[in-house]
Amino acid sequence: MDLAFLHPLYEHPGPWASVYVGTSRHTEDTPHERHLAAVALSRELSRQGADEDTCRAVREALEELRHSSEPHGRALFARAGQVVLDPPLTRAPDGDSAHWAPLPHTAPLLELAGEDPVCVVAYVDRKGADFELRGALGRQDAGSVAGRQWPVHRTSSADWSERHFQLRVENTWEHNAAEIADALAVCQEETRADLLILVGEDREKRSVHDRLPKRLHDLVVEAPHGAGSRLLDHDVERARADHVRQRAERELERFLAAREPGDDGRAGAVESVPALVEAAREHRIDELLIRPGGPDAHREVWIGEEPDQLAVRRTDLKILGEQNSWSARADDALIRSAVTTGAPALAVTEQEVPVGGLGALLRWK
């Protein structure tokens, strides 16, 4: 998961209110239920010590969701009487929750808003293609491309006089496939799509696939449906889920392999809070891995004002020259460090990996 969208949260000091609220349930009583939830969550923040202005800002933002038709939910991060960030969720939370802490509680986003691959669905035929942008929050038109319109069909004659015509048909197909591939590559670059799904007859799909730049080949999925089919939501969701699962499996395999020291005697991955804290201080985290519910995730660490000021013990920060310090969850502190150094993060579901629930692939200068 690219964490760049979290930058605004680390441009201001804490403490922070972090709220997760579901919007997937819709009944006649929903507006009233959401009003009660807004009141309850703001009271919970007040109980935890949040200031009145921040509680009011959160309550008002939640009240605006009373009639929302968002399919999953919303996270809100607020401080000093202002909601700074309110990203939509791509999965509904198990329940509404509110946290007041020195750092924003961003770790749940890895599961609830992370790995939302954007797809471009290309409906391909011999004359061109229509592109459709699909994501967790809906679909929208992404353009089209029209190739040569004639000739595109073979004749049934076996007469030698038809050979020239047949050759022109082949040339038309190849020309159109190249144009579609070029347009699809541009569409992917503009939308930053994570997945390209080709729909159409097998020959046309394969022709387009083969003409795409090699850098895109691993992003392509050929749908099993034939020409004229329109992908249903569950087809797209299956492709998106497969993409997320396969990527997580690859990264986990890379992590497992990197735990062993290389020829230089250094390991390319670490786990355990002390090792991760040291890597974060030295800006060596290349990718952060978090297993939700792991025991180390909520372990206490100590943080200073800067993202690389963190330690296992409070006295360690003082030795490093940091006079002001606060306790924080290990996962939230490591995410802050990852955001400021441009490292992505990944939620993994393996029961015992990483050990303790936190790990990282390392970069070496």
Side-chain angles (χ1 to χ4, degrees):
M1 179 181 183
D2 186 348
L3 301 176
F5 74 102
L6 295 178
H7 268 289
L9 301 183
Y10 305 110
E11 295 171 354
H12 310 280
W16 285 87
S18 306
V19 175
Y20 292 85
V21 61
T23 57
S24 58
R25 185 171 179 271
H26 300 280
T27 69
E28 289 184 3
D29 296 329
T30 293
H32 180 62
E33 291 172 351
R34 291 182 182 172
H35 163 71
L36 294 178
V39 172
L41 288 167
S42 63
R43 285 178 177 169
E44 174 60 21
L45 288 172
S46 179
R47 187 191 67 79
Q48 294 181 32
D51 61 276
E52 183 178 342
D53 288 343
T54 298
C55 292
R56 183 186 305 112
V58 168
R59 185 174 65 252
E60 290 174 353
L62 292 173
E63 291 279 9
E64 293 178 3
L65 296 175
R66 281 188 300 168
H67 301 283
S68 172
S69 59
E70 291 184 9
H72 305 293
R74 189 73 73 94
L76 290 89
F77 301 96
R79 62 168 295 279
Q82 181 182 6
V83 175
V84 176
L85 193 66
D86 60 343
L89 304 179
T90 57
R91 280 184 52 192
D94 291 336
D96 298 344
S97 62
H99 311 267
W100 179 251
L103 289 179
H105 184 37
T106 52
L109 289 175
L110 299 187
E111 276 198 298
L112 301 179
E115 294 302 310
D116 175 22
V118 174
C119 304
V120 172
V121 181
Y123 297 99
V124 177
D125 61 31
R126 297 174 183 178
K127 296 182 180 180
D130 295 321
F131 301 149
E132 186 178 66
L133 194 63
R134 302 282 286 269
L137 301 179
R139 69 180 75 188
Q140 65 185 82
D141 179 75
S144 62
V145 57
R148 294 174 182 170
Q149 302 301 296
W150 185 90
V152 293
H153 296 288
R154 298 168 182 256
T155 67
S156 58
S157 171
D159 194 294
W160 286 102
S161 64
E162 298 295 332
R163 290 184 60 190
H164 179 65
F165 180 80
Q166 302 283 20
L167 182 60
R168 291 176 63 190
V169 169
E170 293 288 344
N171 289 342
T172 300
W173 286 356
E174 294 194 6
H175 174 272
N176 289 353
E179 286 207 354
I180 294 168
D182 288 344
L184 185 56
V186 171
C187 185
Q188 187 277 335
E189 186 173 353
E190 292 177 346
T191 61
R192 301 181 68 84
D194 306 285
L195 197 59
L196 304 175
I197 304 178
L198 302 180
V199 184
E201 296 290 356
D202 288 343
R203 174 165 181 167
E204 281 69 53
K205 289 187 295 187
R206 178 51 50 185
S207 294
V208 172
H209 192 164
D210 290 346
R211 287 166 175 77
L212 285 167
K214 288 185 178 180
R215 63 181 177 82
L216 299 180
H217 282 188
D218 289 342
L219 307 184
V220 178
V221 173
E222 295 186 19
H225 307 291
S229 299
R230 307 302 285 186
L231 275 191
L232 300 176
D233 289 342
H234 67 80
D235 294 319
V236 176
E237 286 308 306
R238 186 183 302 113
R240 294 171 75 247
D242 287 345
H243 174 80
V244 171
R245 176 180 53 77
Q246 291 166 7
R247 181 185 177 277
E249 289 174 354
R250 288 195 300 270
E251 291 304 291
L252 191 57
E253 288 175 2
R254 194 160 71 95
F255 172 79
L256 292 172
R259 290 191 302 183
E260 298 299 323
D263 294 339
D264 58 1
R266 299 186 301 189
V270 294
E271 48 202 342
S272 85
V273 171
L276 287 161
V277 164
E278 180 181 358
R281 279 205 304 260
E282 297 176 357
H283 299 181
R284 288 193 286 109
I285 292 179
D286 194 49
E287 183 175 28
L288 185 63
L289 282 73
I290 295 181
R291 174 163 53 87
D296 283 350
H298 51 77
R299 180 172 165 179
E300 180 185 73
V301 297
W302 291 89
I303 62 168
E305 294 179 357
E306 299 300 323
D308 56 0
Q309 294 172 337
L310 68 164
V312 175
R313 294 177 293 273
R314 191 174 195 174
T315 52
D316 292 343
L317 277 183
K318 291 184 178 180
I319 293 173
L320 294 171
E322 177 58 34
Q323 298 304 312
N324 298 318
S325 59
W326 302 268
S327 65
R329 290 175 56 113
D331 53 2
D332 291 331
L334 291 168
I335 287 175
R336 179 177 72 155
S337 177
V339 169
T340 55
T341 58
L346 179 68
V348 295
T349 56
E350 294 292 325
Q351 293 300 310
E352 301 297 334
V353 181
V355 173
L358 298 175
L361 285 156
L362 301 180
R363 60 169 73 113
W364 295 95
K365 296 179 182 179

